[in-house]
Every structure is written in C-alpha cells, then in structure tokens.
Amino acid sequence: MDKLTNKSVYDVLVVGSGVAGMYGSLQFDSSTSVLMLAKYEKNVSNSNLAQGGVAAVLDLKDDSYELHIKDTMIAGGNANDTEAVDVLVHEGPGDVLNVMNNMGVEFDRKEDGTLDKTLEGGHSRRRIMHYKDSTGAELVRKLLAETEKHKNIELGENTTLYSLSRVKSGFRADIIKDGKLGSVFCSYCILCTGGIGRIYKYTTNPKTATGDGIRAAYELGAKIKNLSYIQFHPTAFNSEDGEQFLISESVRGEGAVLKNCNKERFMQRYDERLELAPRDVVSRSIILESRRTGSNNFYLDITHEDPDFLKRRFPGIYEGCMKYGVDMTKDFIPIFPCQHYLMGGIETDIDAKTTVPRLYAAGECANTGVHGKNRLASNSLLEALVFSRRAAQDIKRCMAAGFPSVCEYPSPVEPVPCGAPVPKGIKTEIRSIMQRGYFVLPDYGAIRSGLNQIDNILKRLKSGGFSVTTEFCEVLSMATAAHIILSEVDEK
Ligand SMILES: Cc1cc2nc3c(=O)[nH]c(=O)nc-3n(C[C@H](O)[C@H](O)[C@H](O)COP(=O)(O)OP(=O)(O)OC[C@H]3O[C@@H](n4cnc5c(N)ncnc54)[C@H](O)[C@@H]3O)c2cc1C
C-alpha cells in the first residue's frame, strides 16, 4: 500500500479480494489501473472457505441448462429473477472453463481423466466441480497468482474502505490503513465485499463479513434489496467452544443422513426430499424437530461409507472433526444450523450495475436476484465469477464509449487521530439481538425490541467523537445491516 501514497487516482477501485474481486480485476487489460482492496490479509474471505464446489452444466449429454435453471428456481422458491438466472446458468460454464483452462484452477478428476462431479442438496444432476473439499481455497490460490502477474492491478492489503462519496465523473473513497484515514479517487467502483455473517453469533463466515460495502452503498443512496434473505446452513459442526466450521452439503450428497437426539432419522416428517431438500427446508426442519424433541442435539451419520473414501473425499472435514475427537468414519458428527450466506444485498441489474451511476456490485454483497429466497448449493461461486466479469465488461464498454474519467479531486479527508475508541461489547450486543430476533425463524417480539436497541446503537455511533478505525467501520456496518434486516422482516 505504500504505492498508494504515490498514486491516488485509479480507473477502477475493486473493493474485495475474494473470487468476485479478483476475477473482476483480472478482466481489465494493462491500460486500466485497478486498485483492489482486502480488509485483512488477501486470502481472508468467504471465498477461501468454500468447500463443496462450483455448479455448472459442462456436459449436455447427461444434464441441461433447463434443469439447472429449474433446480435454481425451486431452491429459490421461484422468487428468483429469471433473467439473471438465465445469464448465470448459460454464461457460468464459460467462466468455469476459463478459470480451469486459462488460470490453472484444478478440479478433482476420475481415473479416466474426466471431471469427478458431485451432487448437492437441490441439484437433480451431478454438476458440482470441486477440488477435494477446499474448492474455494484452490480458486483463491490460483486467482491470486494471476492477479500478481498483472502489473495494472495494485493490491492494498489490510486496507479498509470506510466510505464512498460522489465526485465529478467518479468517486472519492475514504480508506483506513495503519490506523490512518486517507482518500483515493476512481472513475468506477466495483464493490465485492462479501456477506454479513458476522452480525450473528453463529456463522460460518470469517471476520471480513460485516457488510461494509453494503453500508457504503446504502449511504451513497444505492438501493438495497432483500437483505433479510439470509441462508442458514443446516449442518455446521456443533462444538462446545462455539466453533462453527461447515460440514459441506456434499457430505449429504455422498449419503450422510440426519439424526435427532434419539439417534433417529427425522427428515421424513418434514420433506419428501429428505436430507437432499434445499438448505432452508433442512434448517427449518431441524429447528422444528428441536422444538418437538426439546433438544438441540443433532447428528450427521455417514459411518456406513468406506472410511478410505471418506478420508480421501473430505480430508479437511475429516481433520476438522478429528480436532474435536470426532472420527466421521466411526462417529456421528454433532451439527446445528448457523448463518451461512446472504442472498440479498446491493440491488444490481444483469450487468452488476447498482442504482448509483458508475457503482457496481458483484458476489455475495450484491442482490442480482439469482438466488431468490434461498441459494442453491454451489451457485454462489458461479455468481461471483459471472457477475464480476459482467461488471468489468460494462465498465470497459463505458470507457470505450469515452465516458469521462474522474476529474474532480476535493481535498482528502484529514486524519482523525484523537477520537475515542469505539466502546467494547457493541458487536456482541448486535450479535445477540440478531440471534434472538431472526435466526432461521423470526421472533417478532424480539425483532421489535431489537430494533429499538439497534436504533440507539446507531445514534450513539453517529453522534461523533469516535476515531474512524476498522473496528468503528465494522460496528457501524453491522448496526446498519442489522437495522435494514430487522426492519424488512418486521414489515413482512
Ligand atoms: C464455509 C463456507 C463454505 C462455502 N462453500 C461454498 C461452496 O462450496 N460453493 C459456493 O458456491 N459457495 C460457497 N460458499 C459461499 C461463497 O464462498 C461466497 O458466497 C463467495 O465466495 C463470495 O465471494 P465474494 O468475492 O463475493 O466475497 P468474499 O470471498 O467474502 O470476499 C470479500 C472480500 O471483501 C473484502 N472486504 C470486506 N469489507 C471490506 C472493506 N471495508 N474494505 C476493504 N475490503 C473489504 C474482504 O477482505 C474480502 O477480501 C461458502 C461460504 C462459506 C463461508
């Protein structure tokens, strides 16, 4: 980031170094200057944690675009944007082939060399490409290596976007680095800041996921849509220390069954698709079953499978369970739902354009409408690829049409060295409000009291006097996202 002090004007600012941020950045040629920000280290992101894989129809002999569209719409409760789904399903295979053939991304193959595709809940065909059980880490590794080869892409690690404001033909971005606030200017901005999982106590998301890009867009006047469409994954490891690592859907895809506190299967009470019903259905079923049995103890059982196959197919999950003394080849895995994914976000069209000119959003922070009310497994990495590419393509079209570059540089923001630190405990307060009010099923009483508490937190944060640090930025984003989500649920 030292270079940032030399250069403060970029053609494109990409906020985020997950799959959406990197793949979007890579679409520009050497004549376009790109600044790509990562709030913490470059590989801390939801993308890096993705296990199951990326869904795409690569083989029309056994699968079809129509079937992938149908599965996506059924999982989404038919609340999906059909145009966006059409783009996702038809263009996604091209992007998957591009990262495979041109960027070195590897997926598991069978002995005969063909892709070893797997099945996940809600998919009617085996169409999930995966790299063992760490597909996201493979994508991040290879895309990062690609971005490092592109001299026009400058990476700002440990650098936080605090806010965006409009200037003539572009934006001023106020950013925090080493505790200092400074500004850069850009003609176009693509927000790829990921989800909001950290507003919950129980989430699979890493510390980056506090909704900063969503708040920055909201403050700029961009439309935010369906922020209450939150996916609760049914099977996170349920440890006593609260660790919530994901037990991928593909474990059920390979035959694992769910059991209640009495070690009995129960999905037949709730849905005929049993363990392979979409995530929202399985999560709701677990919560209803917990109310029926009076217990939060649930298990995944895949002990009937060949132990060698399980260790080979799920090395990361096997290791993760073993850390807690659970051997998935012999023991039932203790699980419970947790927050996992955000379907809604910054409203965009199919070119990833937000309602603010020159501002784009892609990946998990965007509401393209592809997921409807519930994301089909492995469709989000695909969405991050397809729509970050489309954002970049639209920007390239605007540049080629001669849209003026950023041309007004107001004085940069003065550093705020001596404000008070943000009080401790606010993040914990927001998380318990969200857990009580809206976790899998809403509790309307808790939502109303929670909204009052959140309003008070927001008033306090906005009253001034706090230094603008990454911690302050995150708390403000979390409170803003919580406010929008609870208000939306309350209005329904
Ligand atoms: C455990 C887990 C497993 C998953 N498994 C799958 C799967 O198998 N298949 C699938 O399709 N999807 C899966 N998902 C979902 C998928 O990983 C994400 O939806 C997708 O990777 C999001 O990519 P993204 O680029 O939009 O955001 P992210 O990958 O989350 O990247 C966000 C980036 O934004 C940066 N950022 C955030 N705020 C700021 C700020 N203020 N300033 C600067 N930078 C900022 C972060 O540092 C980070 O670099 C999984 C998610 C999790 C958590």
Side-chain angles (χ1 to χ4, degrees), residues 245-462:
F245 78 86
L246 189 74
I247 308 294
S248 161
E249 192 110 24
S250 47
V251 179
R252 278 176 287 133
E254 298 293 353
V257 294
L258 281 164
K259 294 192 167 165
N260 64 15
C261 58
N262 304 317
K263 316 273 168 79
E264 291 162 356
R265 289 185 75 177
F266 60 90
M267 277 305 296
Q268 69 284 357
R269 271 194 199 101
Y270 304 101
D271 197 281
E272 61 186 16
R273 291 164 290 183
L274 305 173
E275 279 79 5
L276 291 182
R279 288 178 183 173
D280 57 337
V281 176
V282 181
S283 291
R284 248 193 331 267
S285 306
I286 293 174
I287 298 297
L288 293 173
E289 183 71 2
S290 78
R291 289 181 186 169
R292 197 186 73 79
T293 58
S295 167
N296 283 346
N297 292 337
F298 287 86
Y299 306 92
L300 257 185
D301 173 11
I302 191 155
T303 53
H304 50 272
E305 264 294 350
D306 172 31
D308 289 336
F309 166 75
L310 289 179
K311 287 182 202 166
R312 208 174 47 248
R313 174 71 181 85
F314 302 113
I317 294 172
Y318 177 79
E319 287 286 307
C321 291
M322 283 305 276
K323 278 194 201 141
Y324 290 90
V326 174
D327 179 347
M328 69 189 283
T329 67
K330 296 190 201 118
D331 305 321
F332 294 178
I333 307 169
I335 57 91
F336 202 67
C338 67
Q339 190 286 340
H340 183 54
Y341 184 75
L342 174 67
M343 274 77 66
I346 307 160
E347 187 178 78
T348 64
D349 67 8
I350 55 164
D351 287 321
K353 279 195 281 208
T354 72
T355 51
V356 171
R358 293 172 179 252
L359 182 68
Y360 296 74
E364 194 167 336
C365 70
N367 179 96
T368 57
V370 290
H371 306 299
K373 289 189 174 165
N374 175 54
R375 168 178 72 108
L376 182 66
S378 287
N379 264 358
S380 47
L381 288 172
L382 192 69
E383 181 198 28
L385 291 172
V386 169
F387 291 95
S388 65
R389 171 184 49 77
R390 288 185 73 94
Q393 283 173 336
D394 198 73
I395 292 173
K396 288 197 282 188
R397 276 194 294 273
C398 293
M399 286 173 160
F403 282 30
S405 297
V406 62
C407 59
E408 182 203 321
Y409 314 123
S411 335
V413 174
E414 285 302 314
V416 187
C418 54
V422 68
K424 287 205 177 4
I426 302 189
K427 282 184 175 174
T428 311
E429 194 182 342
I430 296 170
R431 287 174 184 141
S432 56
I433 292 168
M434 293 307 292
Q435 282 298 137
R436 278 199 308 273
Y438 183 47
F439 183 71
V440 183
L441 296 168
D443 175 332
Y444 290 98
I447 284 175
R448 273 169 217 142
S449 59
L451 265 173
N452 285 334
Q453 282 175 271
I454 294 283
D455 282 345
N456 288 335
I457 291 173
L458 279 171
K459 269 191 214 128
R460 199 166 153 202
L461 292 173
K462 288 179 180 172

Side-chain angles (χ1 to χ4, degrees), residues 15-21 37-40 44-47 49-53 159-161 192-194 204-205 208 212 246 340-341 362-364 375 378-381:
V15 190
S17 65
V19 164
L37 300 184
K39 186 162 55 166
Y40 296 104
V44 180
S45 61
N46 278 7
S47 296
L49 298 180
Q51 297 177 340
T159 307
T160 303
L161 171 79
C192 305
T193 48
T204 55
N205 290 191
T208 50
D212 302 350
L246 189 74
H340 183 54
Y341 184 75
E364 194 167 336
R375 168 178 72 108
S378 287
N379 264 358
S380 47
L381 288 172

Side-chain angles (χ1 to χ4, degrees), residues 165-172 185-186 406-410:
S165 44
R166 296 293 302 275
V167 296
K168 205 159 174 203
S169 311
F171 301 99
R172 189 188 78 201
F185 298 87
C186 59
V406 62
C407 59
E408 182 203 321
Y409 314 123

